[in-house]
Amino acid sequence: MIRLEGSRAYGALHRKLEDLHLGGETMRDMVVLTPKGSPWNERRDIKRGTSLPLKRTQSSPIDRSRDHLGVVNGSYNGTHVEHGQKGYEKECSPSGLKAKGSLCRSIKGEGGYFWKSRNLLIRVLITFMAACFLAAGLMQGSIMMVLKHTDFLTVPEGDLSTGSDSSVKTSSNSVTEGSSHCERAVFLETLKLMERLPKKPTFQELSTLGRFSRRPPRLAMICPNLGRLPDSLYFITVARGLQWLNYDLELYAREDGHLRSAWEDIGVRVFLVPDDEMENSKVDWSRYEGVIALSLAAKKLLESLSQDPFGDITVIWVIQENIVLDQVAGFNSSKELNLVLDSWQEVFNRSSVVVFPNYYLPMIYSELFYSKNFFVIPGSPWDVWEAEQYMITHRRQDARARFAVSSSDFAIVVVGSPCVYTGSWMEHALIMKAVSSLLSVSSSEDPPLGPVKVFVLGHSNSTSAYKETLQVISHHVGLPSGLLQHVGIDDDINGLLWTADVVIYASVLEEHAFPPVLVRAMTFERPVIAPDITAIRKHIVDGHNGFLYSPGDEEDLGRVLVDVRSNSEHSCKVAAEGKSLARDMLGRDSVLQYGRLLEKLLDFPEDAHLPRLTDEIQALISQGWRWDLIGEMASVVENTTTKDLLYLRAETYLEPLGTDWNNNNNDSVDTSLENFDWLEEKDHEQEREAFASEQEERVEEEELMDRLEAIHTSFEDVSKYVKKTETRMQKEDHREIDNLELERVGQPIIIYETFRGSGAWSFLHREHLLYRGLSLSTKGKRPDADDIDGQARLPLLNESYYRDILCEFGGFFAMANFIDRVHANIWIGFQPWRAASQKVALTPIAEASLLHAVALNLDGDALYFWSQSDSQLPDDFWAMCDAVNGGNCRNVFRETWKQMYGLPPTWNRLPPMPSNSGTWSSRHCWALHTTSFLEFVRFSRIFVDALDSQHYVEHHDGGTCCLSRSKAEGQHCYCRLLEGLINVWAYHSARKMIYLDPETGAMKEQHSIESRKGTTWAKYFQRDLLKNMDEDLAEEYDEDRPKRRSIWPLTGEVFWQGSLDKERRARYRAKLEKKRRQLERQARLTKYKQKPIGGKVSKSEARLGIV
């Protein structure tokens, strides 16, 4: 069915009528007129029709603010009227008055502009209305006169079974047009999605780079609940296949269920996330290479993945439901609907790929959500599950009785593609001709076979006008009246398929996946007859688990129908084989496609093993879905997703429309007089007392209001008063924060938790004197906490590039910049937000142990760290550094060291670090004396400046990082190298290095100072040397402003001895300028003196005070 929009609809209608050939051979499209600009064109309801485009034509999401009829892009479509007015102005211009004379004067005098434009508008409206009535008449009955003279058996030119571009020659090849517009369009979009993915090195190339991997790749899976559901069956089958690829899986569920043990039996760790913890879930998604979420019910958890620092994680969202469309029609207003759809649109945009189990759901969802990341992996156990559930709760005899099919009737059900295309009526005509041949053969049998009934499952509802068209076609091919019935999609489709004695798939379009409706029919153990096309021929073997016929050949189809009808025993065997095929349909293919998709999407870090290639495990994966893992199917589905979750409303906190009405149905109210609760005298007395009490309160309130002074003022004054009030409240808040800071002053140490983004809030401490948040971005600050704004303290963090490559070091530089303004404690510590998820955060026992040690200064100027290096890494420090930095740690550190200290090019040494003598600090979980911290920051600023000057062009402009082989780690290029810098500085600056067990609080010194004698490079870490280097850089920047690239001035305070002199001279100049302005003011006052009123005043009068 084609929808024609706008003013061109009338002309298109005439062209369609000319194509009908009233005496001829072919019927073309039925035309439905749709006004241009109608909201129906922007978002059509699925219940009104299924002629859905693949995607919107706009390049951006639909603007839902203009949902008014006749408004296009914010303006009314008045093209014809404006053109007419310009014509009148030209005709009655001064140059044309001589030729027109009184005609122009009469037009102008009698309102010619108005009348003529109105007549033009009336003609357009009359034409449009006539077209609408004509189209309605055609659909409702007038078209039957045409159908009676149409030859339905005329096959269009071209091969119907190919769907190639060469067959699209004329408009009669509408079947191929439907293929290109419907399913093939979705298929092409999926190919474009794969082409848009960034190219990555192959597994063979990565394996030759000498990766130091020590763990399997991790994947997080989100499942709505763990009950016996088709979702769980689908997900557990995919998970079992991914385990063959060596992925380490962890499952997050909203509800517990019977399948939790099945997940744990296959080695998947299960974590429950209740609904009240969805928004602030303590899940560190950064631990995983990717996330696979199933069902619309995963929306809330996916929203947490939209927040920093989880915005770059690969997300695959699998959607198998169409319940979202059933909820669209129940909203109170379009504004409410738009708010909900906008919130869902954000989640669709966040997902890397949205996977659907067939090629029809993407077309449906594209009507509501604009997204270019839709992908199709054919296959799902949903159809098999629903069919088996229907057979458990219903009886076939009742289903046949509902459709008036007796035990002796032979019921034929005709199904087809969900796509709407112009050749469907021709396919139905071919099937009716085959049925007529079946009737002729059945009547010649002795004894004659029972009656035949044909049910055609249409695209629209049961009241569609297409059923009248089918009746005309059946009458034309010679079928008896009443033999054929049209069944709409709003009817009991499961019951119809179970009623059938044979199911015929009418669509002969080349499809890219096995039709789901055939899977459901085969599950009901019904013999199916399908066209011999590629997608069906791949699974159905003719005569073994189904029957095939040549597309477009009614004789071949009639022969197959006769064989099925006459040989019922063979048909039953074929149906049984078809049922076993349907239970395992596309199970292994789905798993393999997920493996290939992950290979293209995921970016595997240096410490993760590469998964196995998908082609290597084809023989290891079972053929179908893992029904053996879920046990026996229950008679009633537990915790069904469709029943328990109204997704649009449950996920957006909107109450369902009509809930109160449904709960208070009038039919359930007992209106009998015997059970009616009549009011008694005491009830009236209580009512009078309540009324008197309310009256007294009302009078008292009115008197108080009269006594209040009414202040009448302007809006500007009110605004000023509000601003003053807000300022006063902010000052009060600051005073409260200052009080909290005063309490922290008494602590010997403050540990700052570095974080970025609201996704890390749930991992931070709240209202704790020992901890304080340090946000690397202004937007990521907690609104109800006294977090330090690192971005405001260090302008360098305004650039997202440096926030990414510096990581926690950006917070260190921000804290050291005028540290006395925010930190007044003797000791300072740092702990990243992910320390809690990685189980290295301090417990209360360890906190007490650390406070005791720093308060009593037990170890002097020491470095306390409570996150040690990975035991799987090499013991040698530089080998460990190479392992986590792409094998280039030594080279990069050496070149940076030479530039930092101005060493000769032939320098080839590194600061010596011991091996096999203890552990090292990692993850930036450490504490230092505040003065030592400032010294470390001074050293780090010079090191980072030298490092960035060498690799900025390569990384920022070229997009390559020599310290990482993966894109995700390359975005944080310097982080892993800088993570070990604290160890080099502490070892060679003769600080004690003490490991604090985060669980027990036990302390143990690592790399004792006695063992370092003779090996440290103390001269490079002397305080005076670093101070002189810092002052030299400050002087160079302050005096010369060098043109070479340098971020050192942006990482902290620029100070040298000359800065004091400059400040002193600046204050002196300001003082002189202030004095000069005062003298000029005095001069102006003495120059202009006010003369006395009344003329000159004598000295005697002035002495006596008489003026």
Side-chain angles (χ1 to χ4, degrees):
M1 184 177 291
I2 298 177
R3 296 188 182 273
L4 303 177
E5 301 178 2
S7 59
R8 286 180 281 183
Y10 182 71
L13 174 64
H14 278 286
R15 290 194 294 273
K16 287 296 178 182
L17 292 179
E18 291 174 0
D19 291 341
L20 285 175
H21 300 299
L22 295 179
E25 303 173 356
T26 309
M27 185 191 78
R28 301 299 177 93
D29 303 348
M30 299 169 103
V31 181
V32 179
L33 298 177
T34 306
K36 188 175 183 180
S38 171
W40 197 256
N41 290 326
E42 294 186 357
R43 180 178 288 123
R44 288 187 285 269
D45 193 338
I46 187 59
K47 294 186 177 180
R48 301 293 183 89
T50 56
S51 180
L52 304 177
L54 171 66
K55 60 180 181 180
R56 301 190 183 99
T57 57
Q58 295 91 333
S59 60
S60 60
I62 289 178
D63 185 3
R64 305 187 181 96
S65 61
R66 301 187 182 101
D67 288 343
H68 302 287
L69 191 62
V71 180
V72 182
N73 295 330
S75 60
Y76 288 91
N77 191 359
T79 306
H80 300 289
V81 178
E82 293 176 359
H83 178 73
Q85 291 176 355
K86 292 179 181 179
Y88 295 147
E89 292 172 1
K90 182 177 180 181
E91 187 179 31
C92 294
S93 60
S95 61
L97 288 176
K98 296 179 182 180
K100 302 300 178 181
S102 60
L103 176 61
C104 292
R105 289 192 297 271
S106 63
I107 291 176
K108 288 186 176 181
E110 299 177 6
Y113 284 90
F114 171 73
W115 288 103
K116 199 157 188 178
S117 60
R118 193 183 70 167
N119 291 338
L120 179 62
L121 180 61
I122 291 176
R123 287 199 297 271
V124 173
L125 292 176
I126 291 176
T127 304
F128 181 75
M129 293 175 64
C132 291
F133 281 115
L134 182 58
L138 288 173
M139 289 190 298
Q140 295 297 332
S142 299
I143 198 171
M144 297 180 189
M145 300 299 297
V146 181
L147 297 178
K148 291 181 179 179
H149 302 283
T150 304
D151 186 4
F152 295 100
L153 303 182
T154 301
V155 180
E157 298 179 3
D159 188 3
L160 293 178
S161 63
T162 60
S164 61
D165 296 335
S166 60
S167 63
V168 188
K169 298 180 180 179
T170 62
S171 59
S172 62
N173 294 343
S174 55
V175 174
T176 308
E177 285 184 10
S179 176
S180 61
H181 178 72
C182 185
E183 183 177 334
R184 181 167 177 78
V186 183
F187 178 73
L188 294 177
E189 284 297 317
T190 59
L191 295 181
K192 292 179 181 179
L193 174 63
M194 292 293 101
E195 295 175 357
R196 288 195 300 267
L197 294 177
K199 294 183 179 180
K200 301 185 305 179
T202 62
F203 283 5
Q204 290 79 3
E205 295 174 349
L206 292 175
S207 59
T208 59
L209 296 178
R211 297 164 57 91
F212 192 88
S213 304
R214 53 189 183 276
R215 64 171 180 85
R218 301 191 191 103
L219 286 178
M221 307 186 76
I222 303 175
C223 190
N225 59 62
L226 302 179
R228 290 190 179 95
L229 296 171
D231 283 342
S232 300
L233 173 60
Y234 180 89
F235 227 28
I236 202 170
T237 303
V238 173
R240 193 69 182 121
L242 295 179
Q243 286 181 328
W244 283 109
L245 293 171
N246 294 337
Y247 285 101
D248 183 19
L249 306 179
E250 293 182 355
L251 180 70
Y252 293 90
R254 297 178 62 171
E255 300 179 11
D256 204 349
H258 291 84
L259 290 187
R260 179 168 184 171
S261 58
W263 283 98
E264 294 174 346
D265 290 341
I266 65 174
V268 177
R269 295 177 295 276
V270 179
F271 305 95
L272 295 180
V273 183
D275 290 341
D276 55 349
E277 298 181 4
M278 283 289 178
E279 295 183 359
N280 299 318
S281 61
K282 292 187 177 182
V283 181
D284 183 7
W285 302 111
S286 62
R287 297 176 54 246
Y288 306 101
E289 277 66 64
V291 177
I292 305 177
L294 178 66
S295 174
L296 295 170
K299 174 178 178 286
K300 288 184 179 179
L301 276 177
L302 291 180
E303 286 177 344
S304 65
L305 281 161
S306 303
Q307 305 166 354
D308 282 337
F310 309 130
D312 298 329
I313 299 174
T314 301
V315 176
I316 300 176
W317 193 9
V318 185
I319 298 179
Q320 303 190 38
E321 308 94 345
N322 59 358
I323 187 68
V324 63
L325 302 171
D326 296 337
Q327 302 297 323
V328 169
F331 284 85
N332 295 315
S333 63
S334 61
K335 181 178 180 181
E336 179 183 344
L337 174 61
N338 292 337
L339 289 175
V340 174
L341 294 179
D342 288 341
S343 67
W344 282 83
Q345 182 70 62
E346 295 178 359
V347 183
F348 274 92
N349 295 339
R350 168 59 186 92
S351 302
S352 306
V353 175
V354 181
V355 177
F356 296 94
N358 55 58
Y359 287 93
Y360 313 122
L361 282 179
M363 295 184 293
I364 294 175
Y365 277 82
S366 64
E367 281 293 291
L368 298 173
F369 308 108
Y370 177 80
S371 183
K372 293 184 178 180
N373 55 1
F374 287 173
F375 191 74
V376 176
I377 296 181
S380 173
W382 264 90
D383 294 287
V384 177
W385 187 285
E386 291 188 0
E388 293 187 355
Q389 284 293 319
Y390 190 88
M391 288 187 289
I392 292 175
T393 57
H394 297 76
R395 297 192 308 168
R396 186 166 184 258
Q397 295 82 355
D398 298 337
R400 290 177 68 91
R402 179 177 179 182
F403 290 97
V405 178
S406 63
S407 58
S408 60
D409 293 339
F410 185 75
I412 301 175
V413 174
V414 181
V415 297
S417 172
C419 296
V420 177
Y421 54 95
T422 57
S424 58
W425 62 271
M426 190 180 307
E427 296 165 350
H428 293 157
L430 293 173
I431 291 177
M432 293 179 196
K433 184 63 178 177
V435 171
S436 64
S437 63
L438 172 65
L439 294 177
S440 61
V441 173
S442 299
S443 60
S444 61
E445 293 286 339
D446 188 23
L449 301 177
V452 176
K453 289 190 176 183
V454 180
F455 300 89
V456 177
L457 179 61
H459 297 99
S460 54
N461 53 30
S462 56
T463 61
S464 172
Y466 186 63
K467 65 179 182 180
E468 303 293 341
T469 304
L470 290 176
Q471 295 298 333
V472 174
I473 297 175
S474 65
H475 177 70
H476 181 80
V477 299
L479 294 181
S481 178
L483 182 142
L484 185 140
Q485 298 182 29
H486 176 266
V487 181
I489 59 175
D490 56 345
D491 213 324
D492 184 8
I493 299 178
N494 289 324
L496 177 66
L497 294 176
W498 204 10
T499 297
D501 293 294
V502 65
V503 176
I504 302 177
Y505 192 74
S507 178
V508 296
L509 300 179
E510 276 292 346
E511 302 189 16
H512 298 279
F514 196 84
V517 67
L518 283 186
V519 176
R520 188 169 299 200
M522 295 164 68
T523 306
F524 282 112
E525 206 168 343
R526 302 296 95 202
V528 297
I529 303 175
D532 188 6
I533 58 179
T534 304
I536 296 178
R537 189 190 316 121
K538 180 180 178 181
H539 300 279
I540 290 184
V541 179
D542 189 19
H544 175 66
N545 49 22
F547 300 94
L548 301 177
Y549 70 93
S550 299
D553 189 350
E554 74 279 0
E555 294 182 358
D556 189 20
L557 177 59
R559 179 188 57 79
V560 174
L561 275 174
V562 172
D563 292 343
V564 172
R565 177 72 189 277
S566 59
N567 193 348
S568 59
E569 183 178 355
H570 177 64
S571 299
C572 292
K573 292 181 179 180
V574 171
E577 291 293 334
K579 182 175 182 178
S580 61
L581 172 67
R583 285 179 63 87
D584 297 330
M585 181 76 70
L586 300 174
R588 182 170 62 181
D589 295 342
S590 298
V591 173
L592 296 176
Q593 290 199 49
Y594 272 105
R596 297 187 182 98
L597 180 62
L598 290 173
E599 290 177 4
K600 292 181 175 294
L601 288 177
L602 297 186
D603 194 12
F604 301 97
E606 190 77 20
D607 61 339
H609 295 292
L610 294 176
R612 300 174 65 179
L613 293 175
T614 306
D615 298 334
E616 299 177 359
I617 64 166
Q618 291 191 20
L620 303 177
I621 300 178
S622 59
Q623 178 65 31
W625 307 103
R626 299 301 303 268
W627 297 92
D628 57 308
L629 297 178
I630 67 171
E632 295 295 331
M633 186 177 296
S635 59
V636 179
V637 181
E638 68 167 326
N639 297 332
T640 56
T641 307
T642 303
K643 179 179 179 181
D644 294 346
L645 295 173
L646 298 178
Y647 300 110
L648 278 180
R649 304 183 181 282
E651 306 300 323
T652 48
Y653 306 104
L654 292 178
E655 294 296 331
L657 179 65
T659 300
D660 297 337
W661 175 259
N662 294 333
N663 292 338
N664 301 296
N665 195 336
N666 291 335
D667 295 339
S668 62
V669 177
D670 189 0
T671 57
S672 60
L673 296 179
E674 291 79 8
N675 297 328
F676 194 83
D677 189 10
W678 294 97
L679 293 177
E680 300 179 358
E681 182 61 29
K682 60 179 181 180
D683 298 325
H684 290 289
E685 184 64 26
Q686 293 178 359
E687 184 181 1
R688 285 192 293 268
E689 291 179 357
F691 179 77
S693 177
E694 292 178 359
Q695 185 68 15
E696 291 178 0
E697 292 179 358
R698 189 183 303 109
V699 172
E700 184 179 356
E701 183 177 359
E702 291 176 356
E703 292 179 354
L704 290 175
M705 293 299 294
D706 293 339
R707 296 175 184 175
L708 293 177
E709 180 181 0
I711 301 176
H712 302 281
T713 184
S714 63
F715 177 75
E716 290 76 8
D717 296 337
V718 175
S719 300
K720 292 179 181 179
Y721 178 77
V722 171
K723 290 181 179 179
K724 290 181 180 179
T725 305
E726 291 178 351
T727 304
R728 186 172 64 252
M729 294 177 63
Q730 291 177 359
K731 290 182 179 179
E732 293 176 356
D733 293 340
H734 285 309
R735 282 197 294 271
E736 292 179 0
I737 295 176
D738 292 340
N739 293 334
L740 184 58
E741 291 179 356
L742 288 175
E743 295 179 5
R744 285 182 174 147
V745 168
Q747 296 284 341
I749 183 175
I750 297 296
I751 299 176
Y752 295 93
E753 296 181 298
T754 55
F755 69 97
R756 176 183 173 183
S758 56
W761 289 356
S762 57
F763 299 93
L764 305 177
H765 290 83
R766 286 184 176 273
E767 299 180 359
H768 202 292
L769 294 179
L770 183 60
Y771 297 95
R772 188 176 184 184
L774 173 58
S775 176
L776 300 182
S777 63
T778 303
K779 295 182 179 179
K781 287 182 58 179
R782 291 175 292 180
D784 55 344
D786 61 336
D787 298 334
I788 295 177
D789 188 353
Q791 187 173 349
R793 291 186 52 80
L794 191 69
L796 179 65
L797 297 181
N798 291 328
E799 300 184 29
S800 60
Y801 171 75
Y802 283 106
R803 285 202 306 267
D804 291 336
I805 65 171
L806 295 179
C807 301
E808 282 78 7
F809 262 74
F812 301 162
F813 295 157
M815 283 298 303
N817 191 22
F818 299 99
I819 191 173
D820 54 325
R821 298 180 181 179
V822 292
H823 181 78
N825 303 81
I826 301 176
W827 289 76
I828 186 172
F830 293 92
Q831 178 176 285
W833 63 270
R834 58 171 59 91
S837 64
Q838 296 175 353
K839 298 182 180 179
V840 293
L842 294 177
T843 60
I845 299 177
E847 292 172 0
S849 178
L850 178 62
L851 285 172
H852 177 72
V854 300
L856 300 180
N857 199 18
L858 297 179
D859 302 297
D861 190 5
L863 168 69
Y864 296 94
F865 64 95
W866 50 91
S867 176
Q868 58 182 340
S869 55
D870 194 342
S871 59
Q872 298 182 7
L873 292 172
D875 295 332
D876 182 71
F877 178 84
W878 294 114
M880 177 185 66
C881 187
D882 279 338
V884 297
N885 288 283
N888 291 322
C889 174
R890 286 186 173 96
N891 296 330
V892 173
F893 198 97
R894 184 185 300 112
E895 296 300 321
T896 304
W897 187 267
K898 288 193 297 185
Q899 181 174 341
M900 179 179 176
Y901 289 99
L903 300 175
T906 57
W907 185 273
N908 196 26
R909 299 174 59 190
L910 285 171
M913 302 293 288
S915 60
N916 302 322
S917 63
T919 186
W920 301 97
S921 171
S922 66
R923 300 185 184 91
H924 299 295
C925 297
W926 44 262
L928 274 173
H929 198 279
T930 302
T931 56
S932 298
F933 167 71
L934 295 177
E935 185 178 340
F936 169 67
V937 169
R938 179 180 294 165
F939 169 78
S940 301
R941 288 178 61 192
I942 305 174
F943 184 88
V944 169
D945 178 62
L947 177 66
D948 183 71
S949 63
Q950 290 184 352
H951 301 282
Y952 175 81
V953 176
E954 177 188 1
H955 183 250
H956 183 272
D957 300 338
T960 58
C961 176
C962 61
L963 296 171
S964 175
R965 297 189 180 99
S966 66
K967 182 180 178 182
E969 291 181 332
Q971 185 178 359
H972 309 282
C973 187
Y974 306 157
C975 295
R976 301 301 296 270
L977 177 64
L978 296 177
E979 187 176 307
L981 192 61
I982 185 68
N983 297 293
V984 178
W985 174 83
Y987 183 85
H988 289 277
S989 62
R991 261 78 177 182
K992 283 186 177 181
M993 304 180 68
I994 300 176
Y995 172 67
L996 170 64
D997 192 322
E999 293 290 335
T1000 63
M1003 295 186 181
K1004 182 179 181 181
E1005 184 178 359
Q1006 308 291 324
H1007 319 293
S1008 62
I1009 296 179
E1010 290 77 10
S1011 65
R1012 306 181 205 174
K1013 291 181 179 180
T1015 60
T1016 60
W1017 288 6
K1019 62 180 181 179
Y1020 292 101
F1021 296 89
Q1022 291 179 1
R1023 181 178 304 176
D1024 294 337
L1025 175 62
L1026 295 176
K1027 182 180 179 181
N1028 293 334
M1029 294 173 62
D1030 186 82
E1031 290 182 353
D1032 292 342
L1033 290 173
E1035 182 179 2
E1036 180 186 9
Y1037 175 77
D1038 200 16
E1039 296 290 341
D1040 302 332
R1041 299 283 176 169
K1043 295 183 180 180
R1044 66 176 180 85
R1045 174 165 185 81
S1046 175
I1047 65 169
W1048 179 88
L1050 306 177
T1051 56
E1053 185 180 1
V1054 179
F1055 178 79
W1056 63 294
Q1057 189 61 32
S1059 300
L1060 297 177
D1061 299 334
K1062 292 180 64 175
E1063 292 178 2
R1064 189 182 302 110
R1065 289 194 297 268
R1067 288 195 299 268
Y1068 181 71
R1069 286 194 299 267
K1071 182 179 180 180
L1072 292 179
E1073 181 66 20
K1074 182 179 179 182
K1075 187 175 182 180
R1076 185 185 62 81
R1077 289 197 300 266
Q1078 290 177 353
L1079 292 175
E1080 289 180 354
R1081 181 173 178 274
Q1082 290 177 3
R1084 288 196 304 268
L1085 293 177
T1086 56
K1087 183 177 179 180
Y1088 300 99
K1089 293 184 178 180
Q1090 182 178 2
K1091 294 182 180 181
I1093 300 174
K1096 187 176 182 180
V1097 180
S1098 63
K1099 294 182 179 180
S1100 60
E1101 292 177 346
R1103 186 168 52 251
L1104 297 174
I1106 302 173
V1107 180

